[in-house]
């Protein structure tokens, strides 16, 4: 049973969560060649190249349109899973990845920047659907190993979040100059997503449909029985079938609350506000700027250009380690301490990044570094007057601290807390609110950050510092610990 559930969870995560992490970080390494391609294409079409401002705008749209696709995918996920089930939704999602990979891979050959933007949007739609990966986790928790092997059940449920970190790390490794980081390989780097999607599409046939979906949503008792027999490896699954039928009866007696009714419900207004603050703060904390523009941040911090790809890979390795530590600590320390530690450390590291940048260069260097004409192009910075050259490595350490702080708490705890703050009737609407804010904030940071660098220079990181510290203050004052507490106990604490 454990091997079969582990195989299923790995397959789902490999073709879904890992691609989400890969898509977050893949645009970082090929930023310069993609902008050169846009400029050359515009010159062929119109007889002159793009001015620096519109070129930055077009590239920022390429980065941020992924989040708009994610918003659409997250809104459609419930319909897809209800209509096609887990395997059917996974298969259709994999087909979307094949379409996106073809568009991005052929974009340079066909001279079409629009195909790159379209492919990024479709990858966002697929990644938005990663929100239904927890549907697989419900099978894990309902069928998973019983005591004394409960830790295996928790490990299986945490696999998707680890695969997101692995996806980010994979994009950083493949973006190295020795692999696909060379200028001529950027379409291949973007279209590598076709490999895990194709493997998932082929291997899905080896697994039965979700027993919970077959019984609870399709009322297909024979199909659910056969699926349970495959998972459990035994012919006697009567107790499991009866347990799922009891869950089906309990769910049928619950009227789901709409999103608008949730927002107007005064009895859960503090829970709803907490979901809004934590989910928006999770993306406005600066982590998306780090993922999307890591090389640009390190370049502005003065890291030598040949070292930047390897420093970036190092941040990905730290992210995996921090994610594993967060997974281990969440049941030991609780949700609230991890959120407080994560947001506070991210805020302090953002402030440290600003201070290290200011100490690194003299006044003339600072003016050159964030001058409007120079910054809009996001080109390689000029060599400023060095005051404390070692500050460049302090800046790199602050970036690593932002990533580690995020993975320790804010990366996964908000999704878990959303389920614990609401009853079953309010939970779907709460996930829609949190997910929508998550993707909208992701789009905002991805689109605005290059222009924020233009207008504020090193001080742009103080915005992220302020967001992190304000969210931490809200959590400290308002949000209670939810570990091992019932909904009624949590509600009384809010009251």
């Amino acid at each position: 049973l454990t091997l079969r559930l582990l195989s299923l969870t790995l397959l789902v995560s490999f073709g879904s969560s890992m691609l989400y992490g890969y898509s977050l970080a893949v645009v970082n390494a090929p930023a310069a060649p993609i902008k050169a391609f846009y400029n050359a294409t515009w010159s062929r079409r119109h007889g002159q190249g793009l001015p620096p401002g519109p070129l930055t705008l077009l590239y920022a749209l390429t980065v941020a349109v992924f989040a708009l696709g994610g918003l659409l995918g997250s809104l459609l996920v419930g319909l897809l899973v209800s209509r096609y089930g887990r395997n059917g939704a996974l298969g259709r999602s994999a087909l979307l990845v094949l379409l996106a990979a073809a568009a991005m891979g052929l974009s340079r050959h066909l001279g079409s920047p629009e195909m790159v933007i379209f492919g990024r949007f479709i990858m966002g739609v697929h990644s938005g659907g990663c929100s239904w990966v927890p549907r697989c986790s419900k099978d894990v928790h309902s069928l998973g190993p019983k005591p004394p092997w409960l830790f295996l059940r928790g490990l299986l449920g945490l696999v998707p979040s680890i695969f997101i970190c692995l996806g980010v790390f994979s994009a950083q490794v493949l973006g190295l100059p020795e692999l696909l980081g060379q200028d001529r390989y950027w379409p291949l780097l973007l279209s590598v997503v076709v490999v895990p999607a194709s493997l998932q599409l082929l291997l899905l046939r080896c697994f039965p449909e979700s027993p919970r979906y077959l019984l609870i949503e399709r009322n297909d008792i024979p199909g659910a029985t056969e699926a349970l027999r495959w998972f459990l490896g035994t012919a006697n699954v009567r107790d499991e079938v009866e347990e799922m039928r009891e869950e089906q009866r309990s769910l049928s007696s619950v009227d789901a609350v709409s999103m608008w009714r949730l927002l107007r419900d005064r009895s859960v207004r503090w829970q709803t506000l907490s979901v809004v603050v934590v989910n928006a703060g999770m993306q406005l904390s600066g982590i998306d700027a780090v993922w999307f523009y890591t090389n640009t941040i390190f370049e502005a911090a003065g890291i030598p250009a040949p070292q930047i790809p390897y420093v970036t890979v190092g941040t990905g390795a730290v992210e995996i380690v921090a994610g594993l530590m967060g997974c281990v600590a969440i049941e030991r320390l609780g949700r609230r301490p991890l959120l407080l530690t994560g947001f506070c450390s991210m805020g302090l590291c953002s402030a440290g990044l600003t201070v290290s940048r200011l100490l690194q260069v003299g006044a003339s260097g600072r003016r050159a570094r964030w001058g409007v004409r120079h910054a809009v192009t996001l080109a390689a910075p000029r060599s400023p007057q060095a005051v404390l050259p070692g500050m460049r490595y302090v800046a790199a350490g602050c970036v690593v601290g932002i990533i580690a702080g995020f993975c320790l708490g804010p990366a996964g705890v908000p999704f878990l807390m959303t389920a614990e703050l609401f009853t079953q009737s309010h939970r779907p609407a709460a996930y829609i609110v949190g997910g929508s804010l998550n993707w909208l904030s992701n789009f905002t940071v991805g689109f605005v950050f290059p222009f924020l660098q233009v207008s504020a220079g090193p001080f742009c990181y103080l915005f992220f510092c302020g967001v992190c510290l304000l969210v931490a203050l809200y959590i400290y004052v308002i949000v209670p610990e939810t570990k091992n507490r019932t909904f009624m106990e949590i509600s009384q604490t809010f009251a």
Side-chain angles (χ1 to χ4, degrees):
L1 169 63
T2 301
L3 288 177
R4 291 178 179 180
L5 286 176
L6 180 60
S7 301
L8 175 61
T9 307
L10 289 175
L11 175 63
V12 173
S13 302
F14 180 70
S16 300
S17 300
M18 187 171 179
L19 290 185
Y20 167 59
Y22 186 89
S23 298
L24 281 173
V26 71
V27 290
N28 178 47
I34 289 177
K35 286 187 283 188
F37 165 65
Y38 287 176
N39 196 39
T41 303
W42 189 271
S43 180
R44 285 196 304 269
R45 292 179 181 179
H46 303 281
Q48 60 180 1
L50 273 169
L55 179 60
T56 301
L57 179 66
L58 186 59
Y59 181 73
L61 178 63
T62 304
V63 172
V65 75
F66 170 76
L68 291 183
L71 175 61
L72 177 62
S74 65
L75 295 177
L76 295 177
V77 59
L79 177 63
L80 283 174
V81 176
S82 298
R83 178 170 296 183
Y84 301 112
R86 181 193 61 222
N87 287 6
L90 279 169
R92 285 160 177 79
S93 181
L95 292 176
L96 284 179
V97 176
L98 301 185
L99 174 63
M104 294 185 292
L106 296 173
S107 58
R108 186 174 62 180
H109 179 72
L110 299 177
S112 175
E114 296 85 358
M115 294 177 68
V116 180
I117 298 174
F118 172 76
R120 288 281 297 168
F121 178 80
I122 295 300
M123 284 304 301
V125 174
H126 165 268
S127 296
C130 285
S131 58
W132 45 260
V133 170
R135 181 63 63 100
C136 172
S137 298
K138 290 185 178 180
D139 286 329
V140 169
H141 284 275
S142 61
L143 301 175
K146 303 300 186 288
W149 308 107
L150 285 177
F151 72 94
L152 289 176
R153 185 189 302 184
L155 175 62
L156 292 173
L158 293 171
V159 166
S161 62
I162 300 302
F163 266 77
I164 293 176
C165 299
L166 288 174
V168 172
F169 183 67
S170 300
Q172 293 166 342
V173 171
L174 290 177
L176 290 174
E178 294 83 358
L179 298 175
L180 301 180
Q182 301 180 33
D183 290 357
R184 64 181 183 275
Y185 291 142
W186 68 262
L188 182 58
L189 180 63
L190 295 181
S191 58
V192 162
V193 292
V194 72
V195 176
S198 299
L199 288 176
Q200 185 185 70
L201 198 59
L202 292 173
L203 295 177
L204 271 176
R205 299 179 179 272
C206 302
F207 295 90
E209 184 54 82
S210 163
R212 297 182 75 262
Y213 166 76
L214 292 172
L215 194 148
I216 295 176
E217 299 192 30
R218 285 297 180 89
N219 202 29
D220 182 2
I221 298 178
T225 302
E226 288 301 317
L228 283 169
R229 286 172 178 167
W230 185 92
F231 276 110
L232 299 175
T234 179
N236 184 12
V237 293
R238 183 178 304 173
D239 293 341
E240 287 77 8
V241 170
E242 184 57 36
E243 182 180 343
M244 289 187 180
R245 294 189 69 179
E246 180 63 30
E247 182 181 357
Q248 181 188 37
R249 288 189 290 268
S250 65
L251 290 175
S252 63
S253 63
V254 176
D255 293 328
V257 173
S258 68
M259 182 177 69
W260 306 116
R261 183 178 168 189
L262 172 71
L263 295 176
R264 296 194 303 266
D265 191 341
R266 296 177 62 87
S267 65
V268 292
R269 61 180 178 180
W270 283 108
Q271 289 93 321
T272 304
L273 181 60
S274 298
V275 168
V276 169
V277 170
V278 174
N279 278 273
M282 172 184 172
Q283 299 298 335
L284 297 177
S285 63
I287 189 62
D288 288 316
V290 171
W291 276 334
F292 288 144
Y293 303 104
T294 310
N295 285 13
T296 300
I297 292 173
F298 284 147
E299 190 177 19
I303 301 296
Q307 298 179 13
I308 288 177
Y310 307 99
V311 177
T312 301
V313 170
T315 65
V318 170
E319 182 176 353
I320 295 175
V321 173
L324 290 171
M325 291 175 59
C327 293
V328 173
I330 189 169
E331 291 301 330
R332 294 178 178 270
L333 302 179
R335 287 66 162 135
R336 190 167 178 267
L338 288 184
L339 282 177
L340 287 172
T341 302
F343 279 113
C344 286
S345 61
M346 292 177 75
L348 294 176
C349 287
S350 296
L353 187 56
T354 297
V355 173
S356 62
R357 288 278 310 279
L358 293 175
L359 291 178
Q360 183 185 343
V361 297
S364 60
R366 288 197 295 271
R367 287 194 297 271
R369 192 175 293 274
W370 68 77
V372 172
R373 181 180 62 83
H374 164 68
V376 167
T377 63
L378 294 182
R382 309 173 203 173
S383 298
Q385 177 188 353
V387 175
L388 294 174
M391 285 292 108
R392 68 184 62 172
Y393 301 107
V394 175
C398 290
V399 172
V400 172
I402 292 172
I403 294 174
F406 179 79
C407 293
L408 278 175
V413 175
F415 303 107
L416 182 59
M417 287 189 67
T418 300
E420 296 172 338
L421 290 177
F422 296 92
T423 59
Q424 179 61 39
S425 60
H426 290 70
R427 202 168 291 149
Y431 272 116
I432 292 175
V433 171
S436 300
L437 280 171
N438 209 301
W439 284 109
L440 286 173
S441 301
N442 187 309
F443 172 80
T444 302
V445 173
F447 189 75
V448 171
F449 181 71
F451 302 97
L452 190 61
Q453 282 186 309
V454 171
S455 60
F459 297 101
C460 66
Y461 305 107
L462 293 181
F463 169 79
F464 302 128
C465 172
V467 169
C468 291
L469 296 182
L470 286 175
V471 173
L473 179 62
Y474 177 89
I475 294 171
Y476 180 78
V477 175
I478 301 296
V479 179
E481 177 58 63
T482 59
K483 175 188 172 184
N484 297 330
R485 301 182 69 180
T486 66
F487 172 75
M488 290 305 299
E489 291 173 338
I490 296 172
S491 298
Q492 289 171 1
T493 304
F494 273 113

